[in-house]
Amino acid sequence: MIREATPDDVPVILAMIGELAAYERAPEAAQATEPQLKEALFGPQPAAFALIAEADGAPVGFALWFRNFSTWTGTHGVYLEDLYVRPEARGGGHGKALLAALAEICVARGYERFEWSVLDWNEPSIGFYRSIGARPMDEWTVFRLTGEALHNLAGTARVNGA
């Protein structure tokens, strides 16, 4: 079963974020806190949304997503930040059900794109994504600014009224 997350799900979502970070070989990178996640998902201006996959009434996976926007299509889309199914529940269709629920959100809302990133070494996930018709955007490279580089660039900003 797939359902929308509730504030009571925040602890289990945070735990699964930690499990995902460990699987992706970066456990130290998962630094979000329960208050941050609760605010992001359920605050007055939610920045993200989450779906929960359940089996026998227990959470076994989640998808955390946010809206993006394409200037080319003039429409919003869904960006899947995290998709995770606990190891003992893999192969049970939960990942596909989460992706199908997000695809349904896209179609129902008139969004034209559903995108996500996957680590290039994660062959099981890449194979699964290809099996549902997803295609890699090989001509694109993801860039990221964090830490000192982010702060250095921000220090050069010249914004009216700032």
Side-chain angles (χ1 to χ4, degrees), residues 13-39:
I13 293 170
L14 192 61
M16 287 191 280
I17 290 170
E19 294 168 27
L20 175 60
Y23 173 77
E24 292 185 348
R25 305 173 187 164
E28 70 288 345
Q31 298 180 9
T33 65
E34 281 190 32
Q36 287 175 319
L37 196 54
K38 190 170 186 176
E39 178 70 19

Side-chain angles (χ1 to χ4, degrees), residues 49-84:
F49 309 91
L51 298 175
I52 300 291
E54 287 186 336
D56 300 321
V60 296
F62 80 103
L64 193 141
W65 63 278
F66 55 88
R67 288 188 325 162
N68 58 15
F69 184 80
S70 169
T71 57
W72 289 21
T73 68
T75 63
H76 284 288
V78 163
Y79 187 85
L80 176 60
E81 178 65 22
D82 286 333
L83 176 69
Y84 180 73

Side-chain angles (χ1 to χ4, degrees), residues 120-133:
D120 59 7
W121 56 259
N122 192 345
E123 288 298 328
S125 293
I126 291 168
F128 168 64
Y129 297 146
R130 287 181 184 274
S131 78
I132 62 167

